[in-house]
Amino acid sequence: MPGITIGDTVPNLEVETTHGKIKLHDYFKNVWTIIFSHPADFTPVCTTELGKMAAYRPEFEKRGVKLLGFSCDYVQSHKEWIKDIEAYTPGCKVTYPIVADPNRDIIKQLNMVDPEAKDSAGNQLPSRALHIVDSDSKIKLSFLYPSTTGRNMDEVLRVLDSLQKSSKYKVSTPANWKPGDPVVISPSLSNEEAKEMFPQGIETKNLPSGKEYLRFTRV
């Protein structure tokens, strides 16, 4: 797959945005960041998505997370489009920067190109890509959606909570996990280490194999 993916370091590009020029690593420093692309300004699904991103900003801020949007349109187009976004989603303010990439150079490097979508001139368009980047500028998670499917912000929050728990504790989150649910203890911990690390209690599932690898706790 072209471009960057999970575990890769985002290149330290200098980008032009609605907030002026930004060096990506400076923007990512000491925080987690969600970077997300959209196919084009003044399009219906994108307008709903960027409005929801803005509406969820307080939830992202609680988690110490910044936002950075990407599109192949120009900065002035972004600024005009923001008026529509804010009008469609009452009460939201698009305070995060949106990157301009009219030459499609940046989206190619960040693995945000839709292989099928083209504009009227035959140029490639961004996909609905979303990367969660940690404070070391490394990609922790990637979503890649087609232009026809809008992203679910509750799912973005859910996976963000999962990633941040896993980075803080030696745990993983099981299928259909939601914040507040039990988490799975890493197999790399012995039972003795797990009991010491999670004094709040451990539930070990009895399995036909007799192996004690499915251990749950709450953090």
Side-chain angles (χ1 to χ4, degrees):
M1 186 164 60
I4 55 176
T5 188
I6 293 174
D8 290 342
T9 299
V10 177
N12 190 23
L13 305 173
E14 183 174 80
V15 295
E16 190 72 46
T17 81
T18 49
H19 292 192
K21 289 186 177 179
I22 289 175
K23 292 280 283 188
L24 292 186
H25 287 194
D26 291 341
Y27 194 75
F28 301 156
K29 190 174 182 180
N30 299 323
V31 296
W32 288 48
T33 307
I34 296 174
I35 62 175
F36 56 99
S37 60
H38 54 273
D41 295 358
F42 302 103
T43 54
V45 177
C46 300
T47 300
T48 66
E49 284 192 316
L50 270 74
K52 283 298 183 185
M53 278 289 189
Y56 275 61
R57 180 175 56 85
E59 291 298 324
F60 293 127
E61 288 180 345
K62 283 181 194 175
R63 294 157 173 81
V65 175
K66 295 165 71 173
L67 301 173
L68 182 62
F70 288 79
S71 175
C72 57
D73 294 298
Y74 288 92
V75 166
Q76 189 55 43
S77 173
H78 294 342
K79 289 181 176 179
E80 291 298 319
W81 181 39
I82 285 171
K83 299 173 187 176
D84 286 0
I85 296 167
E86 294 178 344
Y88 174 76
T89 306
C92 87
K93 289 294 179 184
V94 180
T95 58
Y96 54 82
I98 304 175
V99 176
D101 185 25
N103 296 322
R104 279 75 169 173
D105 294 330
I106 299 166
I107 61 169
K108 291 174 183 175
Q109 294 187 63
L110 299 185
N111 197 14
M112 291 176 159
V113 176
D114 189 317
E116 296 181 349
K118 302 265 193 311
D119 64 16
S120 57
N123 298 312
Q124 288 182 307
L125 290 172
S127 62
R128 297 192 194 284
L130 183 149
H131 303 312
I132 297 180
V133 182
D134 69 10
S135 56
D136 293 324
S137 302
K138 290 188 179 296
I139 294 182
K140 305 297 289 184
L141 177 143
S142 291
F143 286 145
L144 193 61
Y145 286 70
S147 61
T148 53
T149 303
R151 288 160 284 203
N152 185 305
M153 301 310 151
D154 290 327
E155 174 63 3
V156 174
L157 278 181
R158 189 190 77 89
V159 297
L160 180 59
D161 286 339
S162 171
L163 290 168
Q164 292 191 330
K165 279 196 183 298
S166 297
S167 72
K168 188 175 181 180
Y169 306 100
K170 287 186 175 292
V171 297
S172 302
T173 55
N176 291 349
W177 176 86
K178 301 182 299 297
D181 289 351
V183 295
V184 177
I185 297 170
S186 170
S188 67
L189 291 179
S190 67
N191 284 336
E192 292 71 25
E193 290 170 329
K195 288 174 183 176
E196 183 177 346
M197 186 170 290
F198 304 108
Q200 63 270 36
I202 298 169
E203 180 187 3
T204 302
K205 296 295 184 181
N206 293 319
L207 301 170
S209 67
K211 298 181 185 296
E212 298 183 338
Y213 61 88
L214 198 51
R215 302 170 296 173
F216 292 88
T217 190
R218 292 181 184 272
V219 293

